Amino acid sequence: MADIAEKEKYGSENEWEQKPSRFGPDSEPVDKSAPITTQHAPSKGGADAALELLRETGSLHQPLDPDVNRRLVRRIDTHIMPLICIYIDKTAISYASVTGITESTGLKGNEFNWVASIFFFGQLAFEFPTIRLIQLFPLAKYTSVNVILWGATLACLAACKNYAGLLACRFFLGILEAAIVPAWVLFTSQWYTKEEQAFRVGIWFSTCGAAQMFGGFFAYGVATRVGKDPNAALEGWQIIFLFLGLFTAVIGVAFWFVMPDSPADARFLDKEQKGLHLERIRHNEQGIGSKTFKWDQIKEALTDTMTWLHAFWVFAGNVPNSIATSFGNILVRGMGYTNEESLLLVTPLGAWEIVALIGLTYGAMKTRQRLYFCIAGHIPAIVGAVLMATTERVPALVGYYATGGVPIGWTTILGLQSSNVAGSTKKVTVACVGAVAYTVGNIISPQTFQARDAPRYLPAKVAICIIYLLITLDLVVMRWVLVRRNSRRDRDRAACGVAYRVEENHEFLDLTDLQNREFRYEV
């Protein structure tokens, strides 16, 4: 099924992918000694911004010196990674759940579930508009505005007095969150080669684990110092929202002034270094982005089987996400621990997430076997889910920690979207579909933890076991599809022999991965 759309788009099995043809219009053989140039599907204007930059800097068309490349990567890492690693953390609501927000705002029954879920309704509502806005406005500037407003809104949650106020603020937070993941994927694809992207995604996503550790320790300090002081001007949950919100807003301001919108605008690279960087990422077959919105790329994104294989994992994999976000502390408390103990006991989950993400993505980078390492990361999570469902106290807590490896799947999908999806409009569309799947999964997630099932929430835990098995099978199917596509393209190219020629600078024509027959998928 995976290649049916490609065959329909580019012809029959023998003429598949509009490859260099050896037959004339009347099916008469062409001289095999004549040079043949690859015929890509038309781009319909709007070439990548890299093509203009390439005209200014000149084209090298030769391998970079390894020492020069290392110095350039180090410079990019120094200026880019610190900012995109300060990832927005959504676990503040979980800390608030055990520091008094329920009592202060009069929440009852499943109302806390809806406070958690409505964030993702806001994100879902704004995903498609954000596609166009990301392309229309400078990427870093648009992102920074969202980050600043996100922080300000989080701080405003401290002023909420009732259920309605919490719902309004959380919905607006979701709207502002909509741009973040698509923007982060675009930043990664602009600055890093295919081989480098998986590890960098692993690094910036692992900071969610670091944020969970920091947030847990911070919330514990607030709960034990402020929470037990009857004369405190603010309650513990209010201090958590104020501190994390204002801190995020400051990061957003820094993002505006420091983060370049693209390599073409990077002040930390001179003209020569920009040219070297373009040569570095040339074999990504993606360029650095085009502002032209292309409807044909949207259609292709929505009919590409890989889009929906990605989306299934993101949807299903995020249904259990509440065990690490909204309901993490509540679950640990249900294992037989106090509110204060739960704030500390969730922090090892973040530590294991860091170790698993960085370790597995590093191994994937070195071996170029992303999906095998991703599948390996799911196995402890499946065991952990079974332990959570069948045991209590320490064994259940160990199982809870073991589930921290599942985000390797989300980082792998983000990495595949970054390196395996080409065409500017298609890339943001695929990222948006993934983000919609993510929001729907997270909308459902808190609703699996029904108040009547407290404190063990056994039905939710059984569902998590089943879901982890399904998303692991989904990864196996993904790898089969990608390997099949690569093999077919290699066979078709080999059939042309020495007469095969590649169109100059085709990498920077804003072609999609299906249109560009030189494109090869990372697996």
Side-chain angles (χ1 to χ4, degrees):
M1 178 181 175
D3 296 316
I4 292 175
E6 293 191 71
K7 289 180 184 178
E8 291 175 350
K9 188 177 183 77
Y10 297 112
S12 65
E13 178 75 22
N14 292 332
E15 297 175 325
W16 183 69
E17 66 174 29
Q18 287 198 4
K19 65 184 181 68
S21 177
R22 293 197 172 280
F23 300 93
D26 298 317
S27 297
E28 302 212 355
V30 178
D31 181 5
K32 292 187 179 184
S33 64
I36 298 175
T37 302
T38 50
Q39 299 174 356
H40 302 289
S43 181
K44 296 184 179 180
D48 192 273
L51 197 58
E52 183 62 33
L53 182 57
L54 199 66
R55 294 191 184 105
E56 297 176 8
T57 61
S59 178
L60 297 178
H61 276 303
Q62 63 186 30
L64 267 69
D65 178 84
D67 290 333
V68 172
N69 186 56
R70 275 194 296 271
R71 287 196 297 271
L72 188 55
V73 172
R74 194 179 305 119
R75 189 170 183 83
I76 291 169
D77 280 341
T78 301
H79 288 81
I80 300 299
M81 287 302 292
L83 280 174
I84 64 175
C85 277
I86 304 177
Y87 196 80
I88 294 179
D89 177 39
K90 296 177 287 297
T91 56
I93 192 68
S94 179
Y95 308 139
S97 69
V98 292
T99 53
I101 191 172
T102 303
E103 297 77 12
S104 297
T105 56
L107 299 182
K108 54 186 181 295
N110 288 324
E111 287 182 344
F112 179 79
N113 300 44
W114 287 107
V115 170
S117 287
I118 199 167
F119 175 96
F120 300 99
F121 278 103
Q123 190 170 348
L124 178 63
F126 209 66
E127 281 298 346
F128 283 104
T130 211
I131 291 181
R132 184 54 183 144
L133 293 174
I134 281 176
Q135 276 197 300
L136 188 62
F137 296 107
L139 181 59
K141 302 298 184 292
Y142 177 71
T143 305
S144 69
V145 169
N146 280 267
V147 173
I148 293 167
L149 293 176
W150 197 101
T153 305
L154 184 63
C156 288
L157 273 165
C160 292
K161 302 296 184 184
N162 52 40
Y163 179 49
L166 291 173
L167 289 178
C169 283
R170 289 279 295 173
F171 182 82
F172 192 59
L173 275 179
I175 288 176
L176 296 167
E177 177 79 8
I180 301 303
V181 171
W184 261 232
V185 170
L186 289 175
F187 282 129
T188 305
S189 64
Q190 284 180 347
W191 288 103
Y192 294 101
T193 66
K194 287 183 177 182
E195 297 80 10
E196 296 162 350
Q197 287 170 12
F199 185 48
R200 266 62 182 191
V201 171
I203 291 174
W204 60 253
F205 205 96
S206 71
T207 57
C208 289
Q212 186 166 31
M213 292 174 64
F214 167 77
F217 292 134
F218 174 72
Y220 177 78
V222 170
T224 55
R225 297 293 178 180
V226 179
K228 295 181 179 180
D229 182 0
N231 299 315
L234 296 173
E235 296 195 39
W237 63 274
Q238 292 175 307
I239 293 175
I240 290 170
F241 284 142
L242 278 172
F243 176 80
L244 295 179
L246 295 175
F247 176 75
T248 300
V250 170
I251 296 303
V253 172
F255 210 92
W256 175 282
F257 291 103
V258 179
M259 190 72 174
D261 295 303
S262 77
D265 302 317
R267 287 177 291 182
F268 64 88
L269 297 179
D270 59 29
K271 186 176 181 180
E272 180 184 2
Q273 289 169 330
K274 290 177 182 178
L276 291 172
H277 177 63
L278 290 184
E279 294 303 326
R280 228 176 62 77
I281 64 170
R282 180 185 286 274
H283 78 285
N284 285 0
E285 304 279 345
Q286 296 184 41
I288 60 174
S290 168
K291 291 189 178 297
T292 302
F293 197 72
K294 301 175 182 177
W295 287 103
D296 61 309
Q297 291 194 10
I298 290 183
K299 180 180 178 182
E300 181 178 305
L302 297 178
T303 55
D304 188 344
T305 307
M306 285 305 302
T307 301
W308 302 107
L309 288 173
H310 290 169
F312 175 77
W313 191 102
V314 175
F315 161 72
N318 279 288
V319 170
N321 197 35
S322 284
I323 66 175
T325 54
S326 309
F327 277 81
N329 294 91
I330 294 173
L331 277 177
V332 173
R333 188 177 61 188
M335 296 173 189
Y337 299 97
T338 67
N339 285 346
E340 288 79 10
E341 287 173 337
S342 75
L343 290 169
L344 287 180
L345 289 174
V346 297
T347 57
L349 179 73
W352 171 238
E353 183 176 333
I354 294 171
V355 171
L357 290 181
I358 293 181
L360 290 170
T361 54
Y362 182 79
M365 177 181 69
K366 288 299 183 182
T367 61
R368 297 191 69 179
Q369 293 293 339
R370 300 187 193 184
L371 287 164
Y372 278 152
F373 275 85
C374 183
I375 292 167
H378 280 52
I379 295 172
I382 294 171
V383 174
V386 172
L387 285 174
M388 278 204 307
T390 58
T391 64
E392 295 182 8
R393 299 269 321 168
V394 175
L397 190 61
V398 171
Y400 174 71
Y401 296 150
T403 63
V406 160
I408 182 61
W410 187 207
T411 61
T412 299
I413 301 302
L414 291 174
L416 292 176
Q417 289 177 353
S418 177
S419 59
N420 282 358
V421 181
S424 293
T425 304
K426 181 179 181 181
K427 185 182 287 288
V428 295
T429 304
V430 171
C432 183
V433 170
V436 169
Y438 167 83
T439 58
V440 174
N442 277 286
I443 286 169
I444 295 171
S445 183
Q447 306 308 320
T448 62
F449 295 89
Q450 291 294 301
R452 64 177 179 270
D453 299 324
R456 290 198 63 211
Y457 298 100
L458 187 58
K461 292 175 181 177
V462 171
I464 290 169
C465 295
I466 297 169
I467 287 170
Y468 283 175
L469 285 170
L470 291 176
I471 60 178
T472 304
L473 291 174
D474 185 50
L475 295 170
V476 174
V477 175
M478 280 186 213
R479 193 177 191 283
W480 175 77
V481 170
L482 296 175
V483 168
R484 187 166 179 249
R485 289 187 180 185
N486 284 344
S487 297
R488 177 167 285 173
R489 292 184 181 189
D490 289 341
R491 287 197 307 271
D492 289 335
R493 178 167 184 163
C496 295
V498 295
Y500 191 88
R501 296 289 184 273
V502 179
E503 183 179 352
E504 185 176 10
N505 291 331
H506 70 277
E507 304 94 338
F508 304 131
L509 296 178
D510 196 37
L511 300 170
T512 69
D513 52 285
L514 296 185
Q515 292 169 340
N516 180 2
R517 313 319 297 167
E518 296 303 303
F519 193 94
R520 295 298 181 270
Y521 297 93
E522 293 292 307
V523 297

